[in-house]
Amino acid sequence: MAGGVSVPTLGAAVCEAGGLGFLAAGYKTADGLYQEIKQLRSLTSRPFGVNIFMPQPEYADPAAVDVYAHQLAGEASWYETELGDPESGRDDGYDAKLAVLLDNPVPVVSFHFGTPGPDVLDSLRRAGTFTLVTATTPEEALAVEMAGADAVIAQGVEAGGHQGTHRDLPETDGSGIGLLSLIAQIRETVRIPIIAAGGIMRGSQIAATLAAGASAAQLGTAFLATPESGASAVHKQALTNPLFVRTELTRAFSGRPARGLVNRFLREHGPYAPAAYPELHHLTSPLRKAAAKAGDAQGMALWAGQGHRMARDLPAGRLVEVLAAELAAAQEALGVRPARGGVR
Ligand SMILES: Cc1cc2nc3c(=O)[nH]c(=O)nc-3n(C[C@H](O)[C@H](O)[C@H](O)COP(=O)(O)O)c2cc1C
């Protein structure tokens, strides 16, 4: 979880409890990533993963970005800040981060927003790294398998944060496929293992995804609420605040569909925000920072999956244990043998 959520202490707590903790490389410098890997390694000797954003092709309409900037002028004056420069960079330091991961191989690397080519996946494999790529449709899963990834993350529309859609075309409405249906469709399309993601908050849901054909589950929002997560207190509290009852996919904050709690900013700007990632991410960055500094939940990107109201304020390691126990209980009730390795 990029944006300061997946800090090394969270990853380490998950790993120590038997889960597979992740570091987020998104929005970080290559050196920042290197330092976090070092820190995580000092906290745990167990396997962990690093998540990378794929660089984005240029297809945003500059005029649409300009119009959006005009529409956000009132926000900038309200938060007493300037809008960010939409041209601050498109590739998120992809090559440099990849170099860090090839020089200092980690056990698992996952990719979001597209699939790398076979050459990249091959070099990672030769470095001893297991590779995962997110897919939101069976077609994307096929591309992932054909590129040579070791496994595919099936990300359902329920998922919090950005959809890992490979190409966010302006004419699409950003809607996606529900997780159980997606797993079934991907299962019939590819042979590589599937990791289920989206709206999973309880061990019983992990059992359901395993029964549907997944080999493992990936949880975001459930860990967003833990004390170890780097999310702001305002974000954590909003997850279970009755003021926020709905989530929606929106391009309002970043220019790519991402699921967040419906707040004022999302309601007002979501309907006309253009498909322009990462331009809108850079454009709105100072607004989001100013809102966070003011503790104003109505102006922040409150990323959350559809299950946010079931978030539990448990330490991350304890949450892994509780999920594993719930999974075992659900599997016993179903009469299926518990999966080896619990929630891993
Ligand atoms: C705050 C937040 C940040 C996220 N950041 C990333 C990211 O940097 N890279 C990524 O691949 N997925 C990211 N995701 C999506 C997760 O990988 C996963 O698909 C999602 O959390 C699953 O749905 P859930 O939140 O309902 O558990 C993020 C999700 C959240 C909630």
Side-chain angles (χ1 to χ4, degrees):
M1 289 182 278
V5 179
S6 289
V7 289
T9 39
L10 174 59
V14 169
C15 293
E16 286 294 299
L20 182 67
F22 265 77
L23 290 174
Y27 314 132
K28 259 178 216 133
T29 61
D31 186 55
L33 171 63
Y34 175 71
Q35 298 302 334
E36 286 210 345
I37 292 173
K38 246 173 62 178
Q39 201 188 335
L40 180 55
R41 283 204 158 116
S42 73
L43 296 171
T44 183
S45 55
R46 298 184 64 91
F48 64 94
V50 170
N51 174 258
I52 294 226
F53 289 164
M54 287 300 295
Q56 298 300 295
E58 278 189 51
Y59 51 75
D61 173 2
V65 176
D66 275 354
V67 171
Y68 196 58
H70 278 289
Q71 282 160 325
L72 293 184
E75 296 282 349
S77 59
W78 173 255
Y79 287 111
E80 297 179 336
T81 183
E82 304 282 319
L83 292 173
D85 174 8
E87 298 301 329
S88 302
R90 337 190 30 82
D91 73 355
D92 198 39
Y94 177 74
D95 289 337
K97 289 176 192 174
L98 214 49
V100 166
L101 296 173
L102 288 169
D103 288 347
N104 314 269
V106 299
V108 180
V109 170
S110 69
F111 295 87
H112 210 54
F113 298 151
T115 186
D119 48 335
V120 169
L121 293 169
D122 222 49
S123 358
L124 284 166
R125 179 170 308 108
R126 275 188 271 111
T129 299
F130 191 86
T131 55
L132 315 172
V133 183
T134 301
T136 60
T137 63
E139 291 78 14
E140 288 176 356
L142 188 58
V144 170
E145 181 173 67
M146 288 174 77
D150 293 310
V152 59
I153 299 167
Q155 189 194 35
V157 73
E158 303 91 334
H162 283 97
Q163 287 280 296
T165 318
H166 291 194
R167 208 163 143 70
D168 176 36
L169 297 169
E171 59 273 22
T172 58
D173 62 1
S175 64
I177 304 174
L179 180 59
L180 284 182
S181 176
L182 182 64
I183 295 170
Q185 292 179 47
I186 292 182
R187 185 70 293 155
E188 294 194 3
T189 311
V190 302
R191 290 199 198 140
I192 51 176
I194 299 171
I195 292 127
I200 302 173
M201 305 297 285
R202 297 287 185 264
S204 56
Q205 292 172 284
I206 300 174
T209 62
L210 298 184
S215 301
Q218 174 179 295
L219 285 69
T221 303
F223 287 91
L224 191 60
T226 63
E228 290 91 341
S229 123
S232 68
V234 175
H235 193 166
K236 288 181 187 178
Q237 284 155 13
L239 294 173
T240 49
N241 182 340
L243 201 61
F244 298 105
V245 290
R246 272 184 352 99
T247 63
E248 244 177 49
L249 282 177
T250 186
R251 291 189 178 100
F253 298 101
S254 72
R256 243 186 181 275
R259 184 170 296 283
L261 300 175
V262 175
N263 62 1
R264 181 194 60 77
F265 193 99
L266 189 155
R267 247 190 326 269
E268 288 181 8
H269 304 296
Y272 58 83
Y277 177 92
E279 286 85 353
L280 298 201
H281 165 78
H282 297 309
L283 187 72
T284 66
S285 171
L287 299 179
R288 289 180 279 118
K289 281 187 187 139
K293 197 165 162 215
D296 179 4
Q298 298 296 339
M300 297 163 59
L302 300 171
W303 301 138
Q306 285 182 344
H308 64 94
R309 278 185 283 185
M310 296 169 83
R312 297 178 279 205
D313 178 16
L314 290 175
R318 179 75 195 125
L319 180 55
V320 172
E321 289 165 8
V322 170
L323 288 164
E326 290 170 349
L327 168 61
Q331 291 189 312
E332 206 179 318
L334 286 169
V336 292
R337 203 158 53 89
R340 230 160 25 98
V343 295
R344 205 172 300 173

